[in-house]
Amino acid sequence: MPLDALSASGATTTSAGLNKSKASIAENFDTFLSILTTQLKNQNPLEPLDTNQFTQQLVQFTSVEQQLKTNEYLEALILANQSVGQTQATSFIGKTVTASGANSELSGGQAEWSYSLQADAPKAYISIRDQSGRTVFSEQTSLGAGENTYVWDGVTNDGTSAGDGTYSITIDARNEEGQYVPVSTQTTGVVDGVDFGSYEPILIVGGARVKMSSVNSVSAN
């Protein structure tokens, strides 16, 4: 779907939701005003409306009016922020991003993940799964502490070459005593497009979908 169409779709969805809420409040506001006006017109001249009670109703009246104004300002703020977010997201197209996550795209016989280990892991168990969750490759290896990169050549456990697509990695890192070593994974790739179908822009990196909020770095190719 074209970017302008996706942008319009996202904005329309947000605006429609806000307009629905605003219409509901406005309906309640009109009902309240009608009831108050009718009450004033039909009050007993010999027993007029209690001043304290009338004051309380006016306060309620003002509160509803302020709520309407607040919703209008909120709508304008959300739409403005959404526009800024969409503009920022489209600027990522064609650039290489690194984002938190376990997914990466296998293309040209190579898939790459960045990972960070808090300590050396001489016993690290790596599993790579396809989009259906099936383990296609696994191995035991040794990983060093710090920021590193793991590259998979696409060769599966049975010796065949996996097809291009999105794959996820799981790293179970252990020290010499077999204790778990905390590890975080990141994926790197070129942004091909942006999906504005949800509230937060989603970057299309190969076939993977990456939330813009999970992006840790951006670099020009």
Side-chain angles (χ1 to χ4, degrees):
M1 183 181 292
L3 289 176
D4 54 352
L6 288 170
S7 177
S9 174
T12 299
T13 301
T14 302
S15 181
L18 291 170
N19 287 337
K20 183 178 180 180
S21 299
K22 186 168 66 176
S24 177
I25 296 175
E27 183 178 350
N28 293 334
F29 177 81
D30 291 339
T31 301
F32 174 81
L33 179 60
S34 176
I35 293 174
L36 181 60
T37 303
T38 301
Q39 186 177 10
L40 290 174
K41 286 182 179 179
N42 295 282
Q43 67 177 330
N44 187 344
L46 300 179
E47 296 181 3
L49 186 66
D50 180 77
T51 302
N52 291 332
Q53 184 180 357
F54 182 69
T55 301
Q56 291 177 359
Q57 291 179 339
L58 286 178
V59 170
Q60 294 174 1
F61 177 91
T62 303
S63 177
V64 175
E65 185 178 23
Q66 289 177 340
Q67 189 175 0
L68 280 172
K69 289 295 183 182
T70 299
N71 269 34
E72 291 178 358
Y73 296 145
L74 179 61
E75 178 180 2
L77 180 61
I78 290 177
L79 292 177
N81 287 340
Q82 186 179 50
S83 177
V84 171
Q86 291 174 348
T87 300
Q88 183 180 7
T90 56
S91 70
F92 288 173
I93 295 176
K95 296 180 180 178
T96 299
V97 298
T98 298
S100 301
N103 291 339
S104 185
E105 194 72 10
L106 176 65
S107 178
Q110 180 173 303
E112 182 178 309
W113 291 266
S114 298
Y115 65 90
S116 177
L117 276 173
Q118 295 184 7
D120 289 340
K123 299 178 182 179
Y125 304 90
I126 295 176
S127 298
I128 296 177
R129 295 178 173 83
D130 60 18
Q131 289 180 292
S132 66
R134 181 174 61 94
T135 299
V136 295
F137 176 77
S138 59
E139 72 166 339
Q140 180 180 343
T141 187
S142 175
L143 300 177
E147 301 286 339
N148 296 281
T149 300
Y150 182 83
V151 179
W152 178 48
D153 60 6
V155 177
T156 65
N157 287 333
D158 59 12
T160 61
S161 296
D164 289 354
T166 302
Y167 293 82
S168 62
I169 191 171
T170 300
I171 301 177
D172 182 10
R174 305 281 171 169
N175 60 20
E176 288 286 2
E177 290 72 35
Q179 297 175 327
Y180 176 74
V181 178
V183 56
S184 61
T185 57
Q186 297 179 321
T187 180
T188 301
V190 177
V191 178
D192 301 318
V194 184
D195 183 357
F196 294 117
S198 57
Y199 181 74
E200 179 182 359
I202 303 296
L203 306 180
I204 309 301
V205 182
R209 298 170 61 83
V210 177
K211 291 184 178 180
M212 195 169 75
S213 59
S214 68
V215 173
N216 297 321
S217 66
V218 183
S219 60
N221 293 332

